[in-house]
Structures are given as C-alpha cells and as structure tokens.
C-alpha cells in the first residue's frame, strides 16, 4: 500500500477560530479509514480542504505518486485528479432510471484518458451491470431512481461515484437514516470498494465503524486526537474524555 494523500501542518481559521489546527493525516491506496469525532471537531472542514472547497491558511496537501499539491487546484481539477465525495444526502437523478443514472455517471469521465478508454469500451450495458452488481442494485436497473428506498439511493450514488473510478472516495455518514439491514449492505459495498480505492468514511455510528474493521482517526478541535484500531482509540483516556465531556 503506497501513500495516496498526505496532509501536514494544515490549519484553517474562520473569523479567528481555528477549525483545523496543525492537522497531519495520511491515507494509503487502497485503504479504508474511518474518521470519528464530536460535533465541531472539524470533520466537514477536513473533507472540504481535500476537495478544494476550503483553502487552508497553512500546511501541505499532497496527492498521488507525483506528489501533486492539491492547494491551488480548483474543486473540479481535484475531482478530475481522482477525489470523489459523497455527501450525507443522496443526490441522484430522481426522474431517470437507475440504468440512466449509471450511464450518466459513466459519460462523465474524470479524465480525457478515460474518454479514450470509454470509446474503446463504450459506457455500455456490461459496465452498467457490473456497477449495479457492485452496489447491489442489479434488479433495480429499470426503476426510476426516485422510487428507490433511502438506502438504495445511497448505493446508487456510491455506484455513480465508483463509475468515475476515483482514487480517493470521501463518504459522509453513509449509515445515517438506514435500517440495520441497509447498514450491513452499505458496509459490504464500502469494504469491497476499499479493496481498490482509498475510502474515507466519516461516521457517528460506532457499530458501523466497528464493522468497517479499519484504522480509525479521531478528530477533536481540528487536530488528530488518536489513531489506531477502534478498540485502541476508544480505550484512549483523552478520547473517553472528549466523548463523555470534561
Ligand atoms: P464537524 O463536521 O466535525 O462537526 P466542522 O468541520 O463542521 O465540524 O466545524 C468545525 C468548527 O469550525 C466548528 O466549530 C464550526 O462551527 C466551525 N466552522 C465550520 N465552518 C465554518 C464557517 N464557514 N464559518 C465559521 N465557522 C465555521
């Protein structure tokens, strides 16, 4: 596993308040990582920095084997470099079928190189069926996306992101609002994706994090408070303090 993303000494202030404070973080490719931390810990701002939505005041954000700096790149350039983001609320084309949603995602490749590849192997039925299978929607392809359950919409969106072949996938609270069975299936989809991609999951549900069975990074006050297995971090007295309140 080689390092894909490396952040060091990153800080961001909003009106003098340090939302991210001298943060350092690394993730490999492929790798699954869970990010936990109390409200206001800086989890959203952390993802906003990676995607280029928020510019840090200080620090480095380096991506890929060519050590490309993501700072100074636009959000769309960062997306094209291979960073995909899934927000908490599903955003799919409700008035299109599941098949059309996948087809649209495949038609929107992130690099010109992909366009060439897709010309050779058109964004055809095979690719759509493979994606549908990957996210457990094989039997839903003809349905309107708007008719899907909340969980199915989330899987469709994950599949649409995977269609872009991201190198790093940022996923915000995928289990929110899901039934236990849907949560379990979501874990399977993300764990399978993390065999190939770097996947960062921000999640409050500790049972969900446990099932991801991966390294956990705990953020607090804009910095990394602890890192390691879920058992390791949840036994850390500083983490217990933060969660139970001082
Ligand atoms: P989390 O996602 O872990 O709940 P956030 O990254 O949303 O944390 O926020 C970290 C801190 O930064 C919070 O105290 C929040 O109020 C503050 N913050 C985030 N974005 C802004 C902003 N645009 N303007 C002012 N303060 C902000």
């Amino acid at each position: 596993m080689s390092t894909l993303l490396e952040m060091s000494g990153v800080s961001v202030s909003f009106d003098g308040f340090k939302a991210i404070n001298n943060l350092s973080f690394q993730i490999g490719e492929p790798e699954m990582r869970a990010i936990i931390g109390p409200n206001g810990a800086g989890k959203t701002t952390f993802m906003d920095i990676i995607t280029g939505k928020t510019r840090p005041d200080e620090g480095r954000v380096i991506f890929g084997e060519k050590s490309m700096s993501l700072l100074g790149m636009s959000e769309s350039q960062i997306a094209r470099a291979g960073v995909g983001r899934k927000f908490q609320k599903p955003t799919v084309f409700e008035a299109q079928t599941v098949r059309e949603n996948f087809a649209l995602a495949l038609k929107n490749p992130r690099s010109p190189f992909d366009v060439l590849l897709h010309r050779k192997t058109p964004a055809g039925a095979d690719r759509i069926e493979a994606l549908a299978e990957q996210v457990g929607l094989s039997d839903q392809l003809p349905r309107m996306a708007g008719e899907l359950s909340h969980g199915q919409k989330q899987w469709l969106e994950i599949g649409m992101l995977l269609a872009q072949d991201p190198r790093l996938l940022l996923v915000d609270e995928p289990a929110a609002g899901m039934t236990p069975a849907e949560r379990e299936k979501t874990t399977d989809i993300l764990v399978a994706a993390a065999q190939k991609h770097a996947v960062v999951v921000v999640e409050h549900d500790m049972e969900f994090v446990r099932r991801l069975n991966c390294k956990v990074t705990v953020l607090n006050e804009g910095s990394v408070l602890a890192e390691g297995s879920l058992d390791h971090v949840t036994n850390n007295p500083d983490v217990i303090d933060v969660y139970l309140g001082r």
Side-chain angles (χ1 to χ4, degrees):
M1 178 176 77
S2 54
T3 301
L4 176 65
L5 176 89
E6 183 167 9
M7 301 170 80
S8 51
V10 173
S11 297
V12 180
S13 296
F14 298 113
D15 306 322
F17 172 79
K18 274 206 166 172
I20 294 290
N21 188 4
N22 195 22
L23 179 104
S24 294
F25 176 83
Q26 280 194 3
I27 187 165
E29 183 186 41
E31 187 185 341
M32 168 74 82
R33 181 74 61 88
I35 309 276
I36 63 172
N39 279 337
K43 303 180 295 295
T44 307
T45 310
F46 162 79
M47 289 194 287
D48 288 348
I49 291 169
I50 298 173
T51 59
K53 189 173 172 202
T54 295
R55 300 278 157 204
D57 306 322
E58 291 171 64
R60 283 161 28 106
V61 183
I62 302 294
F63 186 76
E65 48 289 300
K66 290 191 183 140
S67 296
M68 164 169 63
S69 172
L70 295 188
L71 305 180
M73 283 168 69
S74 69
E75 283 184 77
S76 60
Q77 284 170 328
I78 292 172
R80 279 202 299 279
V83 178
R85 182 170 186 178
K86 159 97 191 70
F87 289 91
Q88 204 178 322
K89 202 167 166 281
T91 47
V92 297
F93 301 103
E94 305 239 335
Q96 314 264 348
T97 65
V98 171
R99 181 183 293 284
E100 285 161 348
N101 270 269
F102 282 129
L104 281 167
L106 284 165
K107 259 194 222 145
N108 205 358
R110 65 179 168 85
S111 79
F113 182 61
D114 289 344
V115 175
L116 291 175
L117 283 181
H118 286 129
R119 272 201 195 131
K120 278 190 201 141
T121 30
D126 286 2
R127 186 86 175 90
I128 290 175
E129 267 144 38
L131 278 168
E133 194 179 334
Q134 216 176 334
V135 296
L137 292 176
S138 296
D139 51 354
Q140 305 294 328
L141 283 170
R143 278 186 78 193
M144 299 303 275
E147 292 169 4
L148 299 178
S149 71
H150 170 72
Q152 289 171 324
K153 282 183 194 168
Q154 298 284 36
W155 304 330
L156 173 57
E157 196 186 356
I158 293 171
M160 289 168 74
L161 283 164
L162 293 174
Q164 318 264 308
D165 202 20
R167 298 185 69 182
L168 171 63
L169 189 56
L170 306 171
V171 190
D172 194 8
E173 288 193 54
M178 285 193 176
T179 65
E182 286 176 331
R183 269 183 222 166
E184 207 167 308
K185 194 160 157 183
T186 306
T187 316
D188 294 344
I189 292 168
L190 292 173
V191 168
Q195 299 298 309
K196 184 176 169 209
H197 312 265
V199 181
V200 170
V201 178
V202 171
E203 186 52 69
H204 287 291
D205 180 333
M206 289 300 157
E207 265 324 294
F208 188 85
V209 172
R210 182 167 298 286
R211 273 197 238 110
L212 292 176
N213 192 25
C214 65
K215 187 167 168 182
V216 178
T217 298
V218 187
L219 289 190
N220 184 49
E221 296 179 350
S223 306
V224 174
L225 181 65
E227 211 163 52
S229 69
L230 184 61
D231 285 336
H232 173 79
V233 300
T234 51
N235 283 318
N236 178 318
D238 294 337
V239 176
I240 295 169
D241 252 14
V242 160
Y243 273 95
L244 298 181
R246 272 168 259 234

